[in-house]
Amino acid sequence: AKGDDKNGEESGNEPEWENILSTFTTTSVLSDSAREKIMFLHGKMAGDEAVVVLEKTPIREDSLAELFRDSKLRLDMRNDIYSSYRLQAPSHLNEIKTTVVCPATEKHVKKYRRQESFLVEETGDDYRSVTLPYIQEQSLSLQWVYNILEKKAEAERVVYDDPDPEVGFVLLPDLKWDQKQVDDLYLIAIARQKDIKSLRDLSSEHLPLLHNIFHKGKAAILERYNLPASKLRVYLHYQPSYYHLHVHFTKLGHDAPGCGVERAHLLSDVIQNLQTDPQYYRTRTLWFPLRADDGLLGRFKEARRL
Amino acid sequence: AKGDDKNGEESGNEPEWENILSTFTTTSVLSDSAREKIMFLHGKMAGDEAVVVLEKTPIREDSLAELFRDSKLRLDMRNDIYSSYRLQAPSHLNEIKTTVVCPATEKHVKKYRRQESFLVEETGDDYRSVTLPYIQEQSLSLQWVYNILEKKAEAERVVYDDPDPEVGFVLLPDLKWDQKQVDDLYLIAIARQKDIKSLRDLSSEHLPLLHNIFHKGKAAILERYNLPASKLRVYLHYQPSYYHLHVHFTKLGHDAPGCGVERAHLLSDVIQNLQTDPQYYRTRTLWFPLRADDGLLGRFKEARRL
């Protein structure tokens, strides 16, 4: 349907307008966030299982003039100097990003379904009797980590590299960061030492490594991105998502996933705790969230620890 | 302009459609969030200073059928089973919530302007030489807290009340929680003891109080909201927003403002640290974020500690 397009978009070689969703019937809402204006749906599309993700688009500064000129508003509430309206904008200024996975498998559906999480209490003994055996059984491959350390993969993405086998590490952007702006900066420092699975393995003998990551990591970020230490949050996860010591560097103010107090541990606190008690993380009770479908949660339930 | 309304809305006593924004000229974007699809603007409206807040509305399950039926989509990308589109919806299904403050004062503009925050390092000595004098000078009134403790205010909102002068506390919803759903549950426990300003004042003598808040608070929430301890995040802020001991109870998974590792301290960690070192929080170096316009940040700069 070429020809003039009343939204003022040139209608040269743009793809056709269509309505592939007209055949979509919703089976269930997998999850949604009112805060992020996003909704994950499971349903059927022309006979196939499908997952549809609807996400409102951010408000763009460069469309404000047109938005103000061509929108209409209806008053909702007025109170002294405050008033609120429902604004209806021209649709081309207010699109909804729609992602479709079709045909979708049960794995896709599971991935997007909101997972309730549970806060688990793990004593030092719990770690040795429940968590450690589970990690060892899983024995998830760390070859991709070693490829990075040995420059067999992602070498071009490395921001800083300390080759020392004891205290050295590699610093590179996290996959979640598109590196377009410093506002949501997210880098990972991967330790070169291979036998440190998590916070639980750390003792005062690792202080030189931790200090090195902390100071050289911040210095490298200051130099490359001109971001001072006072703008950085430097922390470890417990439980980590993979069992090879790595430290997260994120911009303060950017609420990166996983920077909540229930999972993140400031590296500066870890260093201080080990300085006063070399065995701090071997004897401590630690709390962490686990998703409902996490195998480790099942182990804690079997051990009657939840 | 009564009469039929092509968006199918009955046009009985609805307010008129108008475009009050057509006279708005933008001076600056105060702050915005691509994640939350919200933008705060400062500008002029018919000669007056004004602040305008534009926020996309959450996707509503009850409008999905109509959205699928009446929208049009344009293909952006297709790769195997994955495809993404730009969806244009009927405008009445995709409104933008618009809040206007007009005439706006410099105070309004400052309130909405994104504040850069700085991570501050405070040793035990820094607390005594920089922070404590500053807090005492501010001497912000705590009368509103005492009104709650003495049932002179908000008595009807109290969820649980332990009258014991030593270990007692009052538990009530935080103002940020609309109490409509448990998903973003947020309660505050305010200690009855009056002389505990913050984490820095805590020592092992306060363990009975902390235990009492921790266990009775969780029990009261289980009973009132049927939410077990494994679904709760229980923590203190440092720096707190007011200097009278209070503990935050929020639903795990709800990323409540202030639950980041740079400001929140799990009560369970605080209890454990005081059990092993009664002076833990008097001697420790603590890190916390301060906004650029915070007077305490100025003190740290004057003391050359930033």
Side-chain angles (χ1 to χ4, degrees):
Chain A
K2 289 241 171 336
D4 65 336
D5 181 326
K6 73 169 178 28
N7 296 328
E9 270 174 68
E10 18 69 36
S11 55
N13 48 14
E14 293 279 323
E16 296 309 317
W17 285 106
E18 50 179 326
N19 187 357
I20 54 122
L21 288 180
S22 57
T23 67
F24 181 78
T25 50
T26 309
T27 311
S28 68
V29 175
L30 295 173
S31 86
D32 71 311
S33 161
R35 185 175 172 188
E36 297 181 28
K37 287 85 182 177
I38 189 166
M39 185 174 274
F40 299 85
L41 298 161
H42 173 216
K44 277 205 183 298
M45 185 182 281
D48 280 325
E49 293 292 321
V51 167
V52 168
V53 184
L54 299 171
E55 182 176 9
K56 299 280 180 105
T57 47
I59 294 167
R60 286 175 31 195
E61 196 172 344
D62 55 17
S63 68
L64 287 177
E66 198 183 342
L67 187 74
F68 292 151
R69 192 190 63 222
D70 297 345
S71 299
K72 53 179 187 175
L73 296 92
R74 179 169 266 171
L75 184 69
D76 245 355
M77 177 286 295
R78 185 192 301 284
N79 178 351
D80 185 30
I81 59 170
Y82 300 95
S83 52
S84 70
Y85 300 80
R86 288 163 25 220
L87 180 146
Q88 292 192 4
S91 23
H92 74 282
L93 291 181
N94 191 18
E95 293 180 334
I96 295 176
K97 187 177 152 205
T98 304
T99 308
V100 178
V101 182
C102 186
T105 64
E106 180 47 28
K107 215 174 147 220
H108 294 115
V109 175
K110 202 173 142 189
K111 180 186 167 193
Y112 291 108
R113 182 176 289 126
R114 177 200 305 273
Q115 283 289 339
E116 275 297 307
S117 47
F118 295 79
L119 196 69
V120 173
E121 180 178 293
E122 179 197 75
T123 63
D125 293 340
D126 289 334
Y127 173 70
R128 282 173 286 279
S129 61
V130 181
T131 307
L132 188 54
Y134 177 78
I135 300 172
Q136 286 160 339
E137 272 164 47
Q138 298 298 305
S139 66
L140 292 167
S141 161
L142 290 171
Q143 191 50 50
W144 67 276
V145 175
Y146 305 150
N147 289 346
I148 292 174
L149 293 176
E150 290 144 25
K151 291 210 169 42
K152 291 180 189 153
E154 306 189 41
E156 71 296 347
R157 289 169 19 90
V158 170
V159 168
Y160 178 81
D161 180 358
D162 180 333
D164 183 286
E166 278 307 305
V167 295
F169 64 96
V170 170
L171 183 71
L172 73 167
D174 183 271
L175 290 175
K176 290 189 280 298
W177 182 36
D178 62 14
Q179 301 179 61
K180 288 211 177 97
Q181 61 288 315
V182 169
D183 243 10
D184 53 353
L185 175 138
Y186 200 137
L187 293 151
I188 299 279
I190 302 177
R192 287 200 168 282
Q193 277 193 46
K194 284 193 175 170
D195 48 6
I196 314 170
K197 287 185 291 301
S198 75
L199 207 53
R200 286 289 189 192
D201 286 345
L202 290 175
S203 73
S204 48
E205 69 174 89
H206 299 107
L207 281 170
L209 166 63
L210 297 176
H211 274 296
N212 195 47
I213 291 175
F214 195 37
H215 297 295
K216 286 194 185 157
K218 287 189 292 185
I221 291 172
L222 178 61
E223 199 198 316
R224 169 73 76 96
Y225 302 101
N226 196 24
L227 208 59
S230 63
K231 295 289 173 110
L232 289 178
R233 221 198 255 118
V234 185
Y235 52 98
L236 296 91
H237 274 158
Y238 193 76
Q239 297 280 329
S241 30
Y242 50 96
Y243 290 91
H244 176 105
L245 189 73
H246 57 282
V247 176
H248 304 253
F249 290 74
T250 60
K251 168 88 169 9
L252 195 67
H254 166 49
D255 50 9
C259 71
V261 67
E262 67 276 14
R263 189 163 177 221
H265 297 257
L266 288 180
L267 178 52
S268 45
D269 280 337
V270 171
I271 288 172
Q272 215 180 167
N273 287 330
L274 289 174
Q275 283 166 335
T276 39
D277 173 3
Q279 296 304 316
Y280 187 95
Y281 288 102
R282 302 203 176 174
T283 56
R284 274 289 135 142
T285 295
L286 294 174
W287 283 264
F288 50 86
L290 284 180
R291 286 172 36 131
D293 63 359
D294 192 311
L296 184 53
L297 187 71
R299 292 297 172 86
F300 270 82
K301 283 182 178 168
E302 282 158 33
R304 305 230 169 299
R305 289 291 294 121
L306 193 73
Chain B
K2 291 240 173 339
D4 63 342
D5 183 326
K6 75 170 178 29
N7 296 324
E9 270 174 65
E10 19 70 33
S11 58
N13 49 15
E14 293 280 318
E16 297 308 317
W17 286 106
E18 48 177 329
N19 186 358
I20 54 125
L21 287 179
S22 58
T23 66
F24 181 77
T25 51
T26 310
T27 311
S28 68
V29 175
L30 295 174
S31 84
D32 70 311
S33 162
R35 184 173 172 189
E36 297 180 26
K37 286 85 182 177
I38 189 167
M39 184 174 273
F40 299 84
L41 298 161
H42 172 217
K44 277 208 184 299
M45 186 182 284
D48 280 325
E49 292 292 320
V51 168
V52 168
V53 185
L54 299 171
E55 182 176 9
K56 298 281 179 106
T57 45
I59 294 167
R60 285 175 33 191
E61 195 171 346
D62 55 19
S63 68
L64 287 178
E66 197 183 345
L67 187 73
F68 291 152
R69 193 191 61 222
D70 298 343
S71 298
K72 53 180 186 174
L73 295 91
R74 179 170 264 170
L75 183 68
D76 243 354
M77 178 285 297
R78 185 192 301 283
N79 179 350
D80 186 28
I81 60 170
Y82 301 96
S83 52
S84 70
Y85 300 82
R86 287 162 29 218
L87 179 146
Q88 292 192 4
S91 23
H92 74 282
L93 291 181
N94 190 18
E95 292 179 335
I96 296 176
K97 187 178 154 204
T98 304
T99 309
V100 178
V101 182
C102 186
T105 64
E106 181 46 31
K107 210 168 155 230
H108 293 114
V109 174
K110 203 173 142 191
K111 178 186 168 194
Y112 291 109
R113 182 175 291 128
R114 178 198 309 271
Q115 283 286 344
E116 274 297 308
S117 48
F118 295 79
L119 197 68
V120 174
E121 180 179 295
E122 179 196 75
T123 63
D125 292 342
D126 289 333
Y127 173 71
R128 283 175 286 280
S129 61
V130 180
T131 308
L132 188 55
Y134 178 77
I135 300 171
Q136 286 159 341
E137 271 166 48
Q138 298 300 304
S139 64
L140 291 168
S141 161
L142 290 172
Q143 191 51 50
W144 66 275
V145 176
Y146 305 150
N147 289 345
I148 292 173
L149 294 176
E150 291 144 25
K151 291 209 170 42
K152 291 179 190 155
E154 306 189 43
E156 72 296 348
R157 288 169 22 90
V158 170
V159 168
Y160 178 82
D161 181 357
D162 179 336
D164 183 288
E166 278 306 307
V167 294
F169 64 96
V170 169
L171 184 71
L172 73 165
D174 183 270
L175 290 176
K176 290 189 281 293
W177 182 36
D178 63 13
Q179 301 179 62
K180 286 210 177 100
Q181 61 288 318
V182 168
D183 244 9
D184 53 353
L185 175 139
Y186 199 137
L187 292 152
I188 298 278
I190 301 177
R192 287 200 168 282
Q193 276 193 47
K194 285 194 176 172
D195 48 5
I196 313 169
K197 287 185 290 301
S198 74
L199 208 53
R200 285 289 188 194
D201 286 343
L202 290 177
S203 73
S204 48
E205 71 176 87
H206 299 107
L207 281 171
L209 167 62
L210 298 176
H211 274 296
N212 195 46
I213 291 176
F214 195 38
H215 297 295
K216 285 194 185 157
K218 287 189 293 183
I221 290 172
L222 178 62
E223 199 199 315
R224 169 72 76 96
Y225 303 100
N226 194 25
L227 209 58
S230 63
K231 295 292 175 94
L232 289 177
R233 223 199 253 117
V234 186
Y235 52 98
L236 297 90
H237 273 159
Y238 193 77
Q239 298 283 325
S241 31
Y242 50 95
Y243 292 89
H244 177 104
L245 189 73
H246 56 284
V247 175
H248 305 252
F249 290 74
T250 61
K251 169 87 168 18
L252 195 68
H254 166 48
D255 50 9
C259 71
V261 65
E262 69 275 14
R263 189 162 178 223
H265 298 257
L266 287 181
L267 178 51
S268 46
D269 279 338
V270 172
I271 288 172
Q272 214 180 170
N273 287 330
L274 288 175
Q275 283 166 334
T276 41
D277 173 3
Q279 297 302 315
Y280 187 96
Y281 287 103
R282 301 201 176 176
T283 56
R284 273 291 138 139
T285 294
L286 293 174
W287 284 264
F288 50 85
L290 284 179
R291 285 171 38 131
D293 62 1
D294 192 311
L296 184 53
L297 186 72
R299 291 297 171 84
F300 270 82
K301 284 182 177 169
E302 280 158 32
R304 305 236 169 297
R305 289 290 295 122
L306 190 72

